[in-house]
Amino acid sequence: MSRKSDLSRSMVGLRHEGDPTGERVREAHRRHAGVRRRRLRLTGMRARLFAGFLAVAVITAGIITGASYFLIRDALVSRAGSNAKAQLLTDVQQNGQQLQLSTSGQTDTSIADTMAKNGGGVIVLITPRGTAPSDLRFGNQDIPKSFQDAAQTQVVQERRIIYGTPYVLTGTRISPNGPEVYLFTSLESEQAILTELMTIGMVSGGLALVGAFAVAFAATRNVLVPIRRLGHAARMLGQGDLDVRLEVKGTDEIADVSHTFNETAEALARSIAELRAMDAASRRFVADVSHELRTPLTAMTAVTEVLEDVEDADPTTVSAAHLIANETKRLARLVEDLMEISRFDAGTAAMRIEDINLPELIEATLATRGWTAKVMVDAPSLLATRIDARRMDVVIANLVGNALKHGGEPVALSVLDTGPVVIVQVADSGPGIPADALPHIFDRFYKADKARGRSEGSGLGLSIAFENARMHGGELSARNRPEGGAVFTLRFPKAAQGAEADPDAVEQTPTSTDSGSGSGSGSYERPQGVSV
């Protein structure tokens, strides 16, 4: 049986009546697969490798730039502080005696200007006569009280920001009761150096990111290209291409994986070839045995029919003759079913498409088997279809026969015309199909009642009906009704598309219903008026 029919069969009982073709299920699967693929792209190996390389580059550039900034900043500030302290001591040494002998504020201001010109900073003198700054913007208010107290006995320094500009404030007292000298040294040049350093660091970091991106691209290409090839080969292998192989390059892990894949594909190809050979041999065996049994069974059937007509024999002989006749007929039906299955497997089953009024075909099917009084039919009087009458007869007979035998009366058969698709439902009033049997109800030789290992039915009737429905471009499904009982639903297009049979070599289509009654066999003979 083809993979398509196996897939359709696995969906039996899972499709909702409102979604007969399963389109909504497939659409949901496509949306889920699309979301999953997008999620995999965002969190795939390439994204992770790029993120890793870029993170390393950013962290490294940040550490180097930050460390350089703080080291250079401390060195610049320390140098500026040392220079300011040395300059202040020099100014005190050169102008200290003159400052102590000064008796006017004007002289103090002149000395402050002289010291500022020598040191390149701003001098603020605090004497008993007041404050004498070399720059009128600075004054006593810019010197903290705690700093003044500390400068009474030693040279002290402190970094301060005044009017938005960083300064190193250096101060001391010339003598225990002498004037105080404070030097404001600007750090603007050092700040400019640090700003330039940060700019260089940012540019270097950007270049590092570009380099990391290029390295990541090269690295991911070398890693991901073989992985993509492996994934493509795996998909091809999953789709049935058993000849796909990977080219093994190098001796790294990717090469090991490629070599392992090739070995696995080769072993799988050998296994599949062996299984196909075994399957073909088993199919040939079944077909050959069925064909060889067909001729003697025809003769045996004719003989048993003659034996059944004997009336003057004793009761024991008559009973034995009936038993032999029934078993011979059952064996003949089984052989016909096996031959039909063989044709399905070999792909040689042909269709004879005709213009058929489906309600009349159903009526003829029920009448031929004596089921007219047992089945309630709800169908329009006229429904033109293009189908294979014999195969559709097999499908209807199997569904109704199983409903009568394994379900329970009353059995309801309804026909619904939905436009391009015809829906036929057969519902019974029995206990329904066991939940564990529902997925396998169309499998070959499957019997829902395990206790009836020996029965009139072959276990092939529903499987043949399923294949006949598929040949019409339709599908056959089964489910249990909430109110009780099982319902089989057949959907097929009004105009079936199938291979036309050769008029000179029309195959005999089995009509097994697995019902076990004598009326269950016999082909559909189209009465007058069935063709439309």
Side-chain angles (χ1 to χ4, degrees), residues 89-142:
L89 293 177
T90 300
D91 289 340
V92 169
Q93 184 178 4
Q94 293 177 354
N95 301 285
Q97 185 176 2
Q98 182 181 0
L99 182 60
Q100 289 181 350
L101 297 176
S102 173
T103 58
S104 66
Q106 185 176 1
T107 303
D108 295 339
T109 302
S110 177
I111 295 174
D113 292 339
T114 301
M115 295 174 67
K117 291 179 182 179
N118 294 333
V122 177
I123 295 293
V124 176
L125 301 177
I126 301 178
T127 65
R129 294 170 294 278
T131 302
S134 63
D135 190 333
L136 296 178
R137 295 178 301 166
F138 293 82
N140 195 19
Q141 72 279 359
D142 297 317

Side-chain angles (χ1 to χ4, degrees), residues 47-303:
R48 291 197 297 269
L49 288 175
F50 268 92
F53 276 100
L54 295 181
V56 170
V58 170
I59 293 174
T60 303
I63 291 175
I64 294 176
T65 303
S68 301
Y69 176 84
F70 287 109
L71 289 175
I72 295 176
R73 186 196 66 177
D74 292 342
L76 292 175
V77 172
S78 177
R79 186 186 66 178
S82 298
N83 292 338
K85 182 177 181 180
Q87 183 62 43
L88 179 64
L89 293 177
T90 300
D91 289 340
V92 169
Q93 184 178 4
Q94 293 177 354
N95 301 285
Q97 185 176 2
Q98 182 181 0
L99 182 60
Q100 289 181 350
L101 297 176
S102 173
T103 58
S104 66
Q106 185 176 1
T107 303
D108 295 339
T109 302
S110 177
I111 295 174
D113 292 339
T114 301
M115 295 174 67
K117 291 179 182 179
N118 294 333
V122 177
I123 295 293
V124 176
L125 301 177
I126 301 178
T127 65
R129 294 170 294 278
T131 302
S134 63
D135 190 333
L136 296 178
R137 295 178 301 166
F138 293 82
N140 195 19
Q141 72 279 359
D142 297 317
I143 305 172
K145 184 66 172 60
S146 59
F147 187 83
Q148 292 183 16
D149 295 339
Q152 300 298 317
T153 58
Q154 59 182 342
V155 179
V156 293
Q157 283 187 326
E158 180 180 279
R159 287 197 298 271
R160 292 180 59 79
I161 296 179
I162 302 174
Y163 306 119
T165 302
Y167 287 89
V168 173
L169 174 59
T170 308
T172 187
R173 182 185 285 272
I174 295 178
S175 61
N177 294 318
E180 301 172 19
V181 181
Y182 296 95
L183 173 61
F184 291 85
T185 304
S186 175
L187 297 177
E188 285 184 321
S189 59
E190 287 77 5
Q191 183 65 43
I193 293 174
L194 293 176
T195 300
E196 184 177 358
L197 176 64
M198 286 298 299
T199 302
I200 294 174
M202 293 178 64
V203 173
S204 301
L207 294 176
L209 289 179
V210 174
F213 186 87
V215 173
F217 181 80
T220 54
R221 179 177 177 82
N222 292 334
V223 173
L224 293 182
V225 168
I227 292 179
R228 287 200 185 98
R229 292 174 180 169
L230 178 61
H232 176 71
R235 286 190 295 272
M236 296 295 293
L237 185 64
Q239 294 172 2
D241 185 2
L242 301 179
D243 296 328
V244 63
R245 296 294 185 272
L246 290 173
E247 183 180 359
V248 180
K249 295 181 180 180
T251 57
D252 56 3
E253 290 79 2
I254 298 295
D256 292 339
V257 173
S258 301
H259 183 68
T260 303
F261 175 85
N262 291 340
E263 291 180 344
T264 303
E266 185 175 354
L268 181 61
R270 287 197 301 268
S271 300
I272 294 297
E274 293 174 359
L275 290 175
R276 287 176 176 172
M278 294 172 60
D279 183 62
S282 63
R283 291 179 180 178
R284 284 195 303 270
F285 174 77
V286 172
D288 293 343
V289 170
S290 301
H291 186 270
E292 293 298 327
L293 289 176
R294 189 174 186 180
T295 300
L297 279 174
T298 302
M300 291 174 61
T301 302
V303 172

